Amino acid sequence: MTAIELGTNRHVLSEVRDGIAVVTMNRPEKRNALSVEHMEELTEAFRRIGEERDIAVAILRGAGPVFCAGHDLNELATCDARTARHIFQTCTTLMETIRSIPQPVIAQVHGVATAAGFQLAATCDLIVAAAGTRFQTPGVKIGLFCSTPMVAVSRVLPPKKTLELLLTGDAITAEEGERLGMVNRVVPLEELEQATWELAEKIRSASRYVVGIGKQAFYRQLALPEHLAYAYAMEVMTLNALAEDAREGICAFLEKRQPEWRNA
């Protein structure tokens, strides 16, 4: 397996292994808390990934005992309105960047994903979690309701369950998250990296161009009424049908051979 370093910053390590980018949050001593600098480095890493046509999929993981403990509370403890707005805008930019890049992003989650860490996992396109992992929005317990995490979490969990988590600060386990459709895979901790990699490899086997079209279309149609969603999807699929990879894939299927993607 060939590994190429995509970039190393103070809090984020990035590399590419055979077309799969691996982004590691590297603040284990702070439980990978999301300081402004950390979020800016993550945003830049995903922007670079989005610009690389040779990258098919990305994995986001955390170094140390947990995935991510949320915002760095040291930055919020005494901030003024301007600073608070900057913190939350930086966080929003990170989440929107993950959603906007063409590559699917898989969250490889272990330990805990708390508050903005839960938001980060929920924003990723897929989640593979270690058994016993806890997801939590505990802000109400410290007087800071998890309003921005709520945006991502309410889109991956049923409304009543989301509100219960927000109002009580209680945690949901990876196992319950899988039952509710939030988590794609739950595996023993020692199998987490392998299971995440196997899912990434399945995605990598498809046309990167077509996967990028599909990711964008999926999120856009969700926000539309059904009849408009069909109209939008029809146009997307029409353009997709004219792509080189669509024609290659159809011909390969009819000829009973493996397709040779040109990612175009």
Side-chain angles (χ1 to χ4, degrees), residues 121-138:
T123 296
C124 291
D125 304 295
L126 303 171
I127 297 176
V128 179
T133 297
R134 291 178 294 112
F135 298 83
Q136 190 173 13
T137 50

Side-chain angles (χ1 to χ4, degrees), residues 213-214 216-217 220 230-241:
I213 290 174
Q216 181 185 59
R220 286 192 177 180
Y230 268 118
Y232 166 69
M234 179 184 65
E235 294 302 323
V236 172
M237 203 158 187
T238 299
L239 293 174
N240 188 172

Side-chain angles (χ1 to χ4, degrees), residues 2-7 14-18:
T2 303
I4 302 171
E5 186 177 291
L6 188 62
S14 305
E15 64 178 7
V16 181
R17 307 178 196 170
D18 298 335

Side-chain angles (χ1 to χ4, degrees), residues 107-168:
Q108 178 182 307
V109 188
H110 71 291
V112 298
T114 305
F118 190 175
Q119 178 184 5
L120 184 58
T123 296
C124 291
D125 304 295
L126 303 171
I127 297 176
V128 179
T133 297
R134 291 178 294 112
F135 298 83
Q136 190 173 13
T137 50
V140 69
K141 295 182 177 182
I142 61 169
L144 185 62
F145 198 84
C146 286
S147 298
T148 48
M150 171 180 69
V151 174
V153 175
S154 65
R155 283 160 170 75
V156 296
L157 284 176
K160 299 282 188 192
K161 188 63 181 181
T162 301
L163 195 53
E164 177 189 345
L165 297 178
L166 290 164
L167 293 173
T168 65

Side-chain angles (χ1 to χ4, degrees), residues 73 102 131 138 158 202:
L73 295 181
K202 286 184 179 181

Side-chain angles (χ1 to χ4, degrees), residues 158-193:
K160 299 282 188 192
K161 188 63 181 181
T162 301
L163 195 53
E164 177 189 345
L165 297 178
L166 290 164
L167 293 173
T168 65
D170 289 345
I172 184 174
T173 65
E175 290 79 2
E176 186 176 1
E178 185 180 34
R179 288 195 297 272
L180 292 172
M182 179 186 80
V183 176
N184 298 90
R185 308 270 195 285
V186 178
V187 298
L189 179 60
E190 61 271 19
E191 298 175 14
L192 179 61
E193 184 173 353

